[in-house]
Amino acid sequence: MSSYKKLGNYNFSACNNSVRGESRIMLPAMLGLKSVNPYRVQYNDMRVLPPVQTTELNYDKLILSPGASPIVPPILGVERALTLRNVEDVERIVNRVNLKPKSAVVIGGGFIGVEIAENLIHRGISTSLVEAANQVLAPLDPEMATLVAKEMRSQGVNLHLGTSAVEITANSVKLANGEELSADLVILAIGVRPDISLAKEANLKIGSRNGISVDRNNLTNDKSIYAIGDVAEKIDSLDGSATLVPLANIANRHGRVVSDHIAGRKVREVKTIGTAIVKVFDLMIATTGWNEKRLATTKRKYKVIHAHPNSHAGYYPDAKQMTLKIIFDEKTGEILGAQGIGIEGVDKRIDVIATAIRGGIKAPELADLELAYAPPFGSAKDPVNMLGYIAENIISGLTKTAQWNQINKYEEMGYQLLDVRTPGEISRGGIPGFVNIPVDEIRERKAELKNKNILVTCQVGVRGHTATMLLQELGFNAVNLDGGYLTWSISPAAI
């Protein structure tokens, strides 16, 4: 087996590159890397080819893994911006950072962009992040992304959302909204596209997502050539469509699939659900499956649950509140996606849900999972179990829920809006238009409810559920606001 690279170090993932360093950005030498390849002793033959040398090689099987190239927009002065793809890019960024720039602009608010912004802040550089969308981290739904934006702003990142860079000057970045940002250093992180230049020259089929089209064995239309990693299109596990998921775990799985197929071993088809996680200052943010934005563009009927549980038992010290969101088919209970944000405990909850998606476990069946429990690590009813209980209540018809963006709709339908929190909680913030009757006083004060149709809210949805069940027993048609006031307060509706 021989492996060839055009020039420089063998690549590392961009997520690794973006967090390397003394005070977060590290010189490659600190990892013991060398210009020549670091793997020679492990494999038969790995070579870095000079850029101008033409070498003809024979092969029985060829594996293409050129990865993806950074997207560079055609804006004036873009040549001054640095990109991040490989170790050489890291060296260039580190060299610029070592010159002690006073200001930096990161263009792009995806996973790599927010990681870079964090690292620059840790180096004491005044940092602005520009994102054309109205939120950072596109895989998140808007009410979840606001938590990330809040954290970034609190840590000193200047966010400029809903606008784009139109020009990069010698010491600034000009935005479409007329603002001009000081920028001694500019880093582009607006995404990547598959590097299909060699594939096109070889007349390989390019798929609908502009990656190399491959079959279940990662074979191209040339049956002696495979394509793996970021350059290859993947199969979306939810609808079977072609997709691009530039993540390390599925790229590594591709390597195993191709190796097994060449060796004549049986191969399992690899589909993707796009499970990913990123650290942003003190937060961990994780996603799996589809988000609600994407599902809303389809005809599929779905339900959503927001929950705000603690990372472990609340009576044990240092429990941290998380925000979890799960999306599932309203009839079958098939889990379609999930998102989580918090200081701790998010990773294992999203990993459990990702495993459930892979294993075909339905949303209500999450309640049946026997998960590791002790007070320092979780709760007797783990947050994942609770999502299952709530899903079962919804699918069975036991309770009805409404979302943060449906409040006006219910008000227009004539529903009375009822907040069942305590007056003290209400004084710290409430949703406009809701009247207050604490849940413990509903029986005695039910005569104050002049409408049989009631939309109920509380802090996170738990007391809202209790109140909804009680009101139903009293003859009312009650609907619980999913996730309560807390979900509404982090949504665009509250901004």
Side-chain angles (χ1 to χ4, degrees):
M1 182 189 81
S2 297
S3 175
Y4 297 88
K5 186 181 185 299
K6 215 164 27 176
L7 185 66
N9 291 293
Y10 273 82
N11 286 348
F12 287 75
S13 67
C15 51
N16 184 23
N17 289 332
S18 67
V19 295
R20 301 173 50 188
E22 181 179 323
S23 289
R24 310 294 176 131
I25 295 183
M26 188 185 291
L27 287 170
M30 297 183 72
L31 290 183
L33 301 181
K34 298 179 181 177
S35 298
V36 193
N37 82 80
Y39 301 119
R40 185 175 297 279
V41 299
Q42 298 179 6
Y43 297 102
N44 295 337
D45 189 11
M46 302 187 90
R47 309 175 194 175
V48 177
L49 300 179
V52 296
Q53 177 178 315
T54 300
T55 304
E56 186 170 326
L57 304 166
N58 296 321
Y59 64 83
D60 296 314
K61 301 293 182 182
L62 176 64
I63 304 171
L64 293 180
S65 183
S69 301
I71 297 173
V72 179
I75 60 178
L76 190 62
V78 74
E79 63 278 358
R80 190 167 82 81
L82 301 177
T83 57
L84 178 59
R85 183 194 183 194
N86 51 36
V87 175
E88 289 79 18
D89 291 338
V90 176
E91 290 174 336
R92 282 188 283 272
I93 293 173
V94 169
N95 289 338
R96 292 290 298 278
V97 168
N98 287 340
L99 295 176
K100 301 188 183 305
K102 293 183 179 180
S103 60
V105 172
V106 180
I107 302 175
F111 281 29
I112 302 304
V114 298
E115 286 182 318
I116 292 171
E118 176 184 350
N119 293 317
L120 293 172
I121 288 290
H122 284 301
R123 291 298 295 262
I125 302 169
S126 176
T127 302
S128 298
L129 184 144
V130 179
E131 169 55 51
N134 291 321
Q135 66 170 76
V136 295
L137 300 181
L140 294 177
D141 286 315
E143 76 277 18
M144 304 293 282
T146 56
L147 290 170
V148 185
K150 180 181 178 182
E151 172 71 5
M152 295 182 72
R153 289 188 173 109
S154 73
Q155 297 284 353
V157 180
N158 301 308
L159 291 183
H160 300 267
L161 306 178
T163 188
S164 57
V166 294
E167 182 181 351
I168 300 173
T169 71
N171 53 21
S172 70
V173 173
K174 295 181 179 181
L175 307 183
N177 63 5
E179 290 186 85
E180 186 168 358
L181 309 178
S182 176
D184 298 328
L185 172 64
V186 181
I187 300 178
L188 283 177
I190 61 175
V192 296
R193 58 168 61 97
D195 186 350
I196 57 174
S197 53
L198 183 58
K200 285 183 173 179
E201 291 179 20
N203 293 318
L204 299 182
K205 182 181 177 181
I206 305 303
S208 59
R209 300 301 302 274
N210 214 34
I212 300 177
S213 180
V214 296
D215 65 12
R216 60 177 292 151
N217 304 309
N218 281 85
L219 269 172
T220 68
N221 56 302
D222 184 322
K223 298 311 175 186
S224 61
I225 301 179
Y226 297 82
I228 63 174
D230 294 354
V231 76
E233 292 189 345
K234 289 85 176 171
I235 302 171
D236 190 299
S237 68
L238 292 180
D239 70 353
S241 65
T243 187
L244 295 173
V245 181
L247 296 174
N249 49 8
I250 195 165
N252 279 276
R253 182 74 185 107
H254 278 177
R256 173 63 182 251
V257 166
V258 168
S259 299
D260 282 349
H261 191 253
I262 291 174
R265 294 171 56 86
K266 185 177 180 180
V267 172
R268 293 189 302 275
E269 186 174 32
V270 178
K271 295 182 178 181
T272 180
I273 54 176
T275 306
I277 190 168
V278 64
K279 173 188 172 296
V280 181
F281 294 99
D282 292 332
L283 293 181
M284 57 173 70
I285 300 102
T287 68
T288 189
W290 286 24
N291 57 31
E292 189 177 1
K293 291 180 295 186
R294 184 175 178 186
L295 277 165
T297 66
T298 71
K299 295 181 180 180
R300 189 157 193 176
K301 302 296 183 182
Y302 62 87
K303 289 292 185 181
V304 173
I305 297 170
H306 294 86
H308 304 275
N310 285 328
S311 55
H312 60 251
Y315 56 82
Y316 192 88
D318 300 323
K320 303 293 191 300
Q321 190 173 55
M322 302 179 289
T323 294
L324 299 177
K325 177 177 183 175
I326 189 170
I327 312 166
F328 56 95
D329 187 285
E330 68 175 22
K331 293 188 180 298
T332 67
E334 179 186 357
I335 303 171
L336 305 175
Q339 301 160 41
I341 299 176
I343 295 174
E344 65 178 38
V346 168
D347 50 348
K348 71 175 182 177
R349 272 68 188 211
I350 294 300
D351 279 344
V352 169
I353 296 172
T355 303
I357 294 175
R358 181 68 178 85
I361 295 172
K362 301 295 191 290
E365 295 173 326
L366 294 175
D368 305 330
L369 298 181
E370 189 175 344
L371 304 174
Y373 161 65
F377 308 107
S379 301
K381 288 186 289 189
D382 189 86
V384 172
N385 297 139
M386 290 304 300
L387 292 174
Y389 287 125
I390 300 169
E392 188 167 25
N393 290 344
I394 292 172
I395 290 177
S396 68
L398 180 66
T399 56
K400 292 179 286 187
T401 60
Q403 293 303 312
W404 59 268
N405 55 2
Q406 296 177 319
I407 295 175
N408 290 341
K409 171 186 172 184
Y410 276 86
E411 194 169 17
E412 290 169 0
M413 291 166 58
Y415 276 66
Q416 184 171 352
L417 308 181
L418 176 65
D419 191 325
V420 298
R421 296 178 297 160
T422 65
E425 290 175 289
I426 296 289
S427 69
R428 294 189 289 273
I431 306 174
F434 278 73
V435 298
N436 178 222
I437 300 178
V439 63
D440 294 337
E441 301 176 16
I442 287 178
R443 287 187 185 275
E444 292 75 20
R445 298 174 60 183
K446 65 180 180 180
E448 298 177 32
L449 300 173
K450 306 301 183 183
N451 195 323
K452 286 295 183 183
N453 298 314
I454 301 176
L455 178 63
V456 180
T457 190
C458 65
Q459 184 69 12
V460 297
V462 177
R463 282 172 291 172
H465 169 72
T466 301
T468 298
M469 298 301 295
L470 174 58
L471 287 166
Q472 287 177 354
E473 288 183 6
L474 295 173
F476 293 89
N477 173 37
V479 177
N480 188 20
L481 183 65
D482 174 61
Y485 166 76
L486 187 53
T487 295
W488 177 88
S489 70
I490 62 173
S491 76
I495 298 174

